[in-house]
Amino acid sequence: MHSTKPTVVISPGAWMYPDIFGKVISLFNDAGFPAEALAHPTIGAEPPNKTLYDDVASFRSRLVKLADEGKDIVVVCHSYGGCVGACAVEGLGAVQRAQAGKKGGVVMVVFMTAFAIPKGKSLLDMLGGQWLPWMRIDGDYVRTGPETFEFYFDLPEADKQYWGKRQTHTSRGAFTNPVTYEPWNDMPCMYIICEGDEGLSQPVQEHMSTLLGPDAILFRIRSGHFPFLSVPSKIVEGVALGAKTGMEKKAIALGRGGRL
């Protein structure tokens, strides 16, 4: 049976493969949301010469295909994935497309403990231009140290070890290329704040959520940096709220001749 709910497309963070979202994707599907997580070219690249813009082009190509099929889309960005998702949705808002006589498009961009970065700034800029102590830099390879295992603190020990060891390198260009678009100026956005996150601290998340503007939805949960592993049902709850709001805003905007 064809789902009338938006398709959820997940932009993963650095160092991780899409399989880390398997549990939450199953829950999205059970709730009637078609869902998928896409692999970014910078993750595990050999040689590590891919950039943010390779990730954006790859992610955007999938969004365009879904939009051209008439699908409403909720883009869910995790961590570094916020840089990718933000750039990739440019011009793909559902209302923007409707104004051009096209069906489908993005109805909501969800930043899930993710980087929301002003246009012209890179992720490294947001770190003050300094690599974090647990980032191991080797030429264009950016690897993580064992300290990052603690980012999984709210998981059982076996899961913490499994996912910690699944981390791979990310190309340096993912962190150094400037973001090229601010979706919150053109389409509805949401921030899921993870209040126990030891990877992207709550104060940093709170600050970035303010960039999304006064109309952005804030959804708070008690979890670490990987809420889709520790509390996946809460992520489905939050994204469902975002999807509902996005669809309502689309209907209102189109009823007003496409004006938000």
Side-chain angles (χ1 to χ4, degrees):
M1 183 177 177
H2 177 70
S3 175
T4 59
K5 294 182 178 180
T7 298
V8 174
V9 184
I10 302 172
S11 174
W15 302 295
M16 297 307 303
Y17 295 110
D19 63 334
I20 197 170
F21 294 96
K23 183 187 296 186
V24 77
I25 285 174
S26 293
L27 292 181
F28 275 126
N29 291 335
D30 290 346
F33 291 94
E36 57 189 276
L38 305 184
H40 293 322
T42 59
I43 311 301
E46 291 289 2
N49 58 1
K50 301 300 183 182
T51 71
L52 167 63
Y53 307 131
D54 291 302
D55 290 350
V56 170
S58 175
F59 195 79
R60 181 180 174 84
S61 67
R62 180 57 178 160
L63 297 183
V64 170
K65 183 175 188 298
L66 289 169
D68 286 346
E69 291 171 357
K71 304 289 179 57
D72 291 307
I73 305 164
V74 175
V75 173
V76 178
C77 309
H78 177 241
S79 199
Y80 156 73
C83 302
V84 180
C87 297
V89 299
E90 184 172 3
L92 296 181
V95 174
Q96 295 168 304
R97 285 175 59 89
Q99 291 171 332
K102 299 177 181 179
K103 295 183 178 180
V106 177
V107 298
M108 180 65 70
V109 181
V110 180
F111 292 86
M112 175 175 57
T113 186
F115 283 90
I117 298 179
K119 180 179 177 179
K121 299 285 188 180
S122 70
L123 195 155
L124 188 59
D125 289 333
M126 300 299 283
L127 300 179
Q130 299 294 321
W131 301 100
L132 297 176
W134 48 265
M135 294 180 175
R136 308 295 196 256
I137 313 302
D138 177 15
D140 288 331
Y141 289 93
V142 182
R143 299 185 174 92
T144 62
E147 305 97 311
T148 59
F149 282 35
E150 292 309 309
F151 297 165
Y152 304 89
F153 74 91
D154 51 351
L155 295 178
E157 185 61 29
D159 290 349
K160 179 195 296 186
Q161 293 295 320
Y162 176 80
W163 292 113
K165 291 175 182 177
R166 274 287 284 163
Q167 294 175 170
T168 187
H169 67 270
T170 299
S171 300
R172 186 187 186 101
F175 303 93
T176 58
N177 296 131
V179 168
T180 58
Y181 183 62
E182 299 174 347
W184 45 89
N185 293 325
D186 299 309
M187 60 193 76
C189 290
M190 173 182 190
Y191 205 104
I192 296 178
I193 294 174
C194 296
E195 296 178 340
D197 194 340
E198 295 182 3
L200 192 59
S201 70
Q202 183 178 344
V204 174
Q205 294 178 64
E206 299 278 3
H207 169 70
M208 290 192 291
S209 73
T210 66
L211 299 178
L212 307 186
D215 295 329
I217 304 170
L218 296 185
F219 188 81
R220 299 174 181 276
I221 57 176
R222 289 292 304 167
S223 81
H225 193 58
F226 300 93
F228 42 87
L229 292 176
S230 59
V231 286
S233 62
K234 293 296 292 183
I235 296 305
V236 174
E237 178 186 342
V239 172
L241 171 63
K244 179 176 182 292
T245 303
M247 292 297 287
E248 289 172 348
K249 288 192 172 188
K250 174 187 173 183
I252 292 170
L254 296 184
R256 294 175 179 170
R259 294 186 301 275
L260 279 171

